[in-house]
Amino acid sequence: QALRQGWGERNPILGSHPSDGKLAVYNVLAIASTVSLGALLPSRWRTAWLGGVAIVEVFAIAGNARLGLHIGF
């Protein structure tokens, strides 16, 4: 949504104006690596890892909401 409105991406891995395909590949790889690492970690560290990821995501979603962006289903 933000990219379609002409805003730049702030993730340095993606660059300022990634294509829809690049975003899709990045998201699939990010989800797969997050879950895979979580599965490999011992229980105590898995909880910390996935909890940390959840906190980062909550802040990202809240920041996007403050900018007027929203998730559509």
Side-chain angles (χ1 to χ4, degrees):
Q1 181 184 3
L3 293 174
R4 286 184 187 88
Q5 293 177 6
W7 298 15
E9 173 62 54
R10 293 180 7 190
N11 183 332
I13 295 171
L14 291 169
S16 60
H17 296 286
S19 67
D20 287 344
K22 189 172 183 178
L23 284 170
V25 169
Y26 173 83
N27 285 326
V28 167
L29 292 175
I31 291 167
S33 61
T34 298
V35 172
S36 296
L37 183 55
L40 294 173
L41 290 170
S43 179
R44 177 179 168 202
W45 291 106
R46 180 181 313 121
T47 301
W49 167 249
L50 294 175
V53 169
I55 289 169
V56 168
E57 293 300 326
V58 165
F59 277 98
I61 292 167
N64 287 342
R66 278 193 300 278
L67 293 173
L69 303 172
H70 43 267
I71 300 171
F73 293 99

